[in-house]
Amino acid sequence: MVLAFQLVSFTYIWIILTPNVCAASNIKMTHQRCSSSMKQTCKQETRMKKDDSTKVQPQKYEQLLHIEDNDFTMRPGFGGSPVPVGIDVHVESIDSISETNMDFTMTFYLRHYWKDERLSFPSTANKSMTFDHRLTRKIWVPDIFFVHSKRSFIHDTTMENIMLRVHPDGNVLLSLRITVSAMCFMDFSRFPLDTQNCSLELESYAYNEDDLMLYWKHGNKSLNTEEHMSLSQFFIEDFSASSGLAFYSSTGWYNRLFINFVLRRHVFFFVLQTYFPAILMVMLSWVSFWIDRRAVPARVSLGITTVLTMSTIITAVSASMPQVSYLKAVDVYLWVSSLFVFLSVIEYAAVNYLTTVEERKQFKKTGKISRMYNIDAVQAMAFDGCYHDSEIDMDQTSLSLNSEDFMRRKSICSPSTDSSRIKRRKSLGGHVGRIILENNHVIDTYSRILFPIVYILFNLFYWGVYV
């Protein structure tokens, strides 16, 4: 009976407690589910708030600047007075100057200043707002272009180099970093002793002077340059700003701004590469005046070498220059120097011809020409390279110099003894100078003095005119 009573009571307790435990577990699970769902809803709400804030932020700027309320395809103050647009330029570098293409490449900062009351906004601190290139597509900006430009681009590393700053009163600053390649009408009549005047011209493309007034913002101080800006071939003498008007028959008058700069060429490079070699060739051609007039191979080869060298220098200079139809200063110098070299060759041709004519006349009178020029043993050796001991041998040598079969004759030099060699050396050393002076032609004598004097006078005149 006791066991039966215990079993019944245990069963009764189990039946009572089991539903309560299940209810408690269900309550815990529902709490957990509710808390997780609340977290998800909170996260979703925060995300929605962030998305809403990102969407609202640009709309606030557009509303603040009244971009959607105005038509920015029209210029400020349309129908009234022209809008003033101030320009300020800071030159960063002149990248290159090309004589062949007659152009230059320049990198600079171009700044525009104008007022657009449609962009005014209230500001308690009177602070301006700065934007990048994206806002320039939504508002009106001046359409400045570069006259006579060949290539131009706005730098885009790492973003487009455009800055737009709007002030509360509607004043706008637009700054661009630009590289432009433009034409420069060069005059090479004084090259390489020249000075070139180049200019970069700015102008509005669509708006004439009735709609847009272009001017330098700070007058002559509107153009600034880097302190240490230099070029390899030029020295920058001056930078200046000026303005003017340009007329087009179909559209009218336009305001135009000029960035003027003066370039003076460094001449030292051309002195080393062009002038100095030309002077050396001319002086080398004068050496032939001191060579014996009977040394035909020596004087002819020297003259031809100097003429060919001068033609090579002229060709090298012309290859690096544009094909202009007028004489340059370097052309004048090189062609005059070539003329001096050519005249030295002509001078020897005249000397050789007159010598031959004179010998023939003497040969017709006396029947021999051995004593005409007082040829001794040393002279004969200077002519044919061999020493002659007897007068008969020297007469044969003299005759062989003008005979038709001189090229077929073979002279055999056979020194006799050591004492005779010593005598020959002493005789040669003591009489070579006298031989050259006594047997030179009168044309050679005058050419030794006349050619250097005339060339020096030409140099004085040339450098006095062009420098």
Side-chain angles (χ1 to χ4, degrees), residues 334-464:
L334 291 180
W335 282 108
V336 171
S337 299
S338 299
L339 180 62
F340 274 87
V341 173
F342 179 74
L343 288 177
S344 67
V345 178
I346 298 300
E347 184 270 347
Y348 177 64
V351 169
N352 186 268
Y353 174 76
L354 294 177
T355 301
T356 305
V357 171
E358 192 174 355
E359 287 178 351
R360 287 177 180 176
K361 291 181 180 179
Q362 185 67 22
F363 182 75
K364 289 179 181 180
K365 293 180 180 179
T366 60
K368 63 177 182 178
I369 59 172
S370 59
R371 293 299 176 184
M372 176 180 177
Y373 297 106
N374 192 21
I375 297 177
D376 56 8
V378 181
Q379 276 186 273
M381 187 177 68
F383 289 151
D384 60 3
C386 298
Y387 186 81
H388 304 270
D389 294 323
S390 63
E391 294 184 358
I392 299 174
D393 195 10
M394 286 188 292
D395 292 339
Q396 293 176 353
T397 301
S398 302
L399 291 171
S400 67
L401 294 175
N402 295 274
S403 62
E404 295 179 354
D405 55 348
F406 172 70
M407 299 301 296
R408 293 174 299 188
R409 180 180 178 273
K410 296 182 180 179
S411 300
I412 301 173
C413 303
S414 55
S416 56
T417 58
D418 294 339
S419 60
S420 62
R421 291 180 183 177
I422 296 173
K423 291 179 180 179
R424 291 168 194 168
R425 291 177 183 175
K426 291 181 178 179
S427 178
L428 179 63
H431 298 286
V432 167
R434 180 178 57 82
I435 293 169
I436 295 175
L437 294 176
E438 290 180 357
N439 291 284
N440 62 341
H441 199 275
V442 64
I443 298 179
D444 282 340
T445 304
Y446 285 108
S447 296
R448 295 170 188 172
I449 302 173
L450 187 63
F451 271 71
I453 291 176
V454 176
Y455 193 68
I456 290 173
L457 292 176
F458 162 72
N459 275 273
L460 293 176
F461 176 78
Y462 178 87
W463 296 105

Side-chain angles (χ1 to χ4, degrees), residues 120-327:
S120 60
F121 60 91
S123 176
T124 57
N126 196 23
K127 291 184 178 180
S128 61
M129 292 187 296
T130 303
F131 304 92
D132 57 10
H133 66 280
R134 288 171 287 189
L135 187 60
T136 58
R137 300 185 180 94
K138 299 180 180 180
I139 65 172
W140 181 90
V141 294
D143 59 339
I144 305 300
F145 81 104
F146 304 100
V147 186
H148 306 305
S149 65
K150 297 181 178 180
R151 296 171 300 275
S152 61
F153 62 91
I154 300 175
H155 291 259
D156 55 359
T157 305
T158 57
M159 294 286 289
E160 289 190 23
N161 297 168
I162 300 176
M163 185 270 290
L164 183 69
R165 181 172 295 169
V166 182
H167 295 271
D169 57 353
N171 286 312
V172 183
L173 166 63
L174 175 63
S175 179
L176 313 171
R177 185 169 179 257
I178 306 176
T179 294
V180 179
S181 296
M183 293 181 61
C184 179
F185 300 99
M186 301 181 182
D187 181 17
F188 297 107
S189 59
R190 301 177 66 89
F191 177 87
L193 307 169
D194 56 337
T195 299
Q196 301 296 339
N197 297 312
C198 298
S199 64
L200 183 63
E201 304 173 8
L202 292 77
E203 184 181 310
S204 174
Y205 189 82
Y207 301 100
N208 57 20
E209 64 174 356
D210 296 330
D211 293 321
L212 189 144
M213 183 181 68
L214 205 62
Y215 69 98
W216 289 109
K217 178 67 175 177
H218 306 291
N220 294 330
K221 296 182 179 179
S222 301
L223 182 59
N224 301 307
T225 61
E226 294 289 337
E227 294 182 358
H228 304 287
M229 186 169 58
S230 61
L231 296 171
S232 58
Q233 288 193 25
F234 293 93
F235 173 75
I236 303 174
E237 288 190 340
D238 184 34
F239 259 104
S240 62
S242 61
S243 59
L245 291 173
F247 176 74
Y248 300 93
S249 58
S250 57
T251 54
W253 293 91
Y254 290 80
N255 294 112
R256 181 177 292 185
L257 303 181
F258 300 88
I259 302 174
N260 306 308
F261 54 97
V262 181
L263 302 174
R264 180 167 54 84
R265 195 183 304 273
H266 296 302
V267 72
F268 187 70
F269 170 80
F270 296 93
V271 169
L272 293 179
Q273 298 294 324
T274 304
Y275 288 98
F276 189 66
I279 294 173
L280 288 181
M281 289 301 105
V282 174
M283 296 177 65
L284 185 62
S285 67
W286 299 340
V287 176
S288 63
F289 303 150
W290 298 89
I291 299 176
D292 195 284
R293 54 178 168 170
R294 284 301 177 189
V296 179
R299 295 189 67 163
V300 171
S301 60
L302 181 61
I304 293 175
T305 301
T306 53
V307 169
L308 293 178
T309 304
M310 286 301 304
S311 62
T312 302
I313 295 174
I314 293 174
T315 304
V317 173
S318 300
S320 60
M321 294 296 299
Q323 306 300 320
V324 295
S325 59
Y326 51 84
L327 280 176

